[in-house]
Amino acid sequence: MSPPSSPAASRLLSVIVVAADSGPALRECIRNVLDWPLRLELLVLDNASNDGVPQAAARACAHDPRLQVIYNRENLGFGTAVNRGAAQSSGDVLLVLNPDCMLAAPGTTRLLEVLDSDTNIGLVGAVTCNAQGKPDPASWRRDPLFRRAVASMLGLARAGVNITRPLPDHPVDAEAVSGALMLLPRRVFERVGGFDPGYFLHCEDLDLCRRVRDTGLRVVLAADVHVLHAKGGSSAHRPIFVSRHKHRGMWRWFRKFDPAARNPLLAGLVWLGIWAHFALQLPILFARKLLRRPGGNRHGEPGRGQ
C-alpha cells in the first residue's frame, strides 16, 4: 500500500523499540509496525536478550530494509537504549514504542496529527489499555511530588499522582504520559538531551515529560487513541530486578525535581520510605520469582528465572 499524502504522514517516522527477552510480543510488534502505510523506519534495540526472538525477527524480515536490529552486548537499560536508537535513526519524528504495545495504523496517524496541530506541543502520548480495554492509570499522570504521594496514601485521589477522573474523548494537556508510547519531534528529543541515562528502568518517562515541559512545550495525551498494552513481557520473569530499579528511579526523580528534596531531613525520610517499601515487597517478589522457575510453576507451565 502506498503511503498517504497527508501532512501528518509525509515525514519519515523513526519507530524505536527496546527489547529485553520480550518474547513473541516483539515479533508481533514488528509485524504490526511494518504493516503501517506510513513512511517509516523501525529500529529494534536488543538489550542482550537470550530468547532468540530479535535474531529470528531480523531473519524473517531480511527483505525489508525498513527494519534495523541493533544488538547491545549488555542490558543498557531502557533510556540509554532509546538514546542509542535515536542517534542511529533518520526520521524527523521519533516514536518510542514498547514491544508489548499494539498500536494500530489509524492511531499512529492520529498521534501525528495531534503533534502537528500545535507547534508548542513537544510530546504526545496515548491511552494504554489491558486486554479488557481498561485504561492504565499511568497513561495520565501528574509529577510524583512528595505531597502528592502522601495524598495518594491518604486516599485523596484528586490530589494524588494518577488522574482518576474519566478520560475525555479528545487530546488534553498532561504533566506526564506513559513511556510505553511516546511521540515527539527529533528536535525536541535532542533539545532536552534524550532520556536521562541515570535511570535504568522506570521513571525515565516521568523525567523526560518534566524536562520537555520545562522548556515551555506542552505534553499532550491523545485521549482518543487507545492502545493495547500487554505489559510485562520483558520484566515479569525478573520481578526483584525490576522493582529495585523502579525504586532507584523514584529516588532519582525526587532528588532532581521535587522541592521537598531541598530539606535534608525530609529527603532522608523519603529515602527510608522508598527502600522500606521495596523491602516490604521482597517476600512477594521472591515468591513470584520461584513460581516462574522450571518446575516451580504450580500451573505446570515452564517458568522463566531472572
Side-chain angles (χ1 to χ4, degrees), residues 157-303:
R158 291 188 178 181
V161 174
N162 292 328
I163 297 176
T164 56
R165 63 179 180 271
L167 287 164
D169 59 359
H170 57 272
V172 291
D173 284 308
E175 291 188 15
V177 296
S178 171
L181 188 158
M182 288 179 154
L183 181 78
L184 66 169
R186 173 183 296 279
R187 59 177 174 78
V188 174
F189 189 84
E190 293 178 347
R191 179 178 175 182
V192 300
F195 282 101
D196 179 351
Y199 298 88
F200 187 85
L201 185 67
H202 284 292
C203 298
E204 66 278 290
D205 52 351
L206 294 166
D207 183 291
L208 182 67
C209 288
R210 173 61 183 262
R211 286 185 289 119
V212 167
R213 286 171 29 234
D214 284 348
T215 67
L217 295 173
R218 297 167 59 198
V219 172
V220 172
L221 172 69
D224 51 344
V225 178
H226 288 219
V227 182
L228 173 63
H229 184 205
K231 271 194 170 186
S234 302
S235 58
H237 61 293
R238 43 185 177 180
I240 298 174
F241 172 87
V242 170
S243 182
R244 178 166 61 90
H245 282 292
K246 182 175 183 177
H247 286 79
R248 285 184 68 243
M250 292 176 185
W251 174 241
R252 182 170 182 82
W253 194 96
F254 172 79
R255 286 188 297 129
K256 286 183 67 174
F257 299 113
D258 200 323
R262 300 169 192 157
N263 183 320
L265 178 59
L266 190 54
L269 290 174
V270 169
W271 185 91
L272 287 172
I274 288 173
W275 291 109
H277 184 265
F278 172 68
L280 289 171
Q281 287 189 333
L282 278 177
I284 297 173
L285 297 174
F286 188 68
R288 289 178 184 171
K289 181 179 176 180
L290 288 177
L291 286 173
R292 287 186 171 272
R293 286 182 176 175
N297 192 310
R298 61 185 173 189
H299 298 291
E301 300 172 357

Side-chain angles (χ1 to χ4, degrees), residues 57-217:
R59 291 192 297 269
C61 300
H63 63 284
D64 196 329
R66 295 175 298 167
L67 173 64
Q68 179 182 3
V69 180
I70 301 168
Y71 300 100
N72 298 321
R73 295 184 178 181
E74 59 182 333
N75 191 339
L76 303 179
F78 177 77
T80 299
V82 171
N83 290 347
R84 177 171 289 191
Q88 298 191 43
S89 66
S90 304
D92 298 318
V93 181
L94 307 178
L95 174 62
V96 181
L97 186 68
N98 271 17
D100 49 8
C101 266
M102 299 302 138
L103 174 62
T108 310
T109 301
R110 175 58 180 155
L111 292 173
L112 289 165
E113 290 172 350
V114 172
L115 183 65
D116 288 342
S117 67
D118 184 347
T119 57
N120 201 42
I121 295 178
L123 190 153
V124 179
V127 179
T128 58
C129 305
N130 63 15
Q132 290 72 45
K134 182 179 179 180
D136 184 346
S139 300
W140 193 12
R141 290 178 288 179
R142 302 180 179 94
D143 285 344
L145 298 170
F146 172 73
R147 58 180 174 81
R148 288 174 173 168
V150 171
S152 293
M153 288 189 293
L154 295 175
L156 304 176
R158 291 188 178 181
V161 174
N162 292 328
I163 297 176
T164 56
R165 63 179 180 271
L167 287 164
D169 59 359
H170 57 272
V172 291
D173 284 308
E175 291 188 15
V177 296
S178 171
L181 188 158
M182 288 179 154
L183 181 78
L184 66 169
R186 173 183 296 279
R187 59 177 174 78
V188 174
F189 189 84
E190 293 178 347
R191 179 178 175 182
V192 300
F195 282 101
D196 179 351
Y199 298 88
F200 187 85
L201 185 67
H202 284 292
C203 298
E204 66 278 290
D205 52 351
L206 294 166
D207 183 291
L208 182 67
C209 288
R210 173 61 183 262
R211 286 185 289 119
V212 167
R213 286 171 29 234
D214 284 348
T215 67
L217 295 173

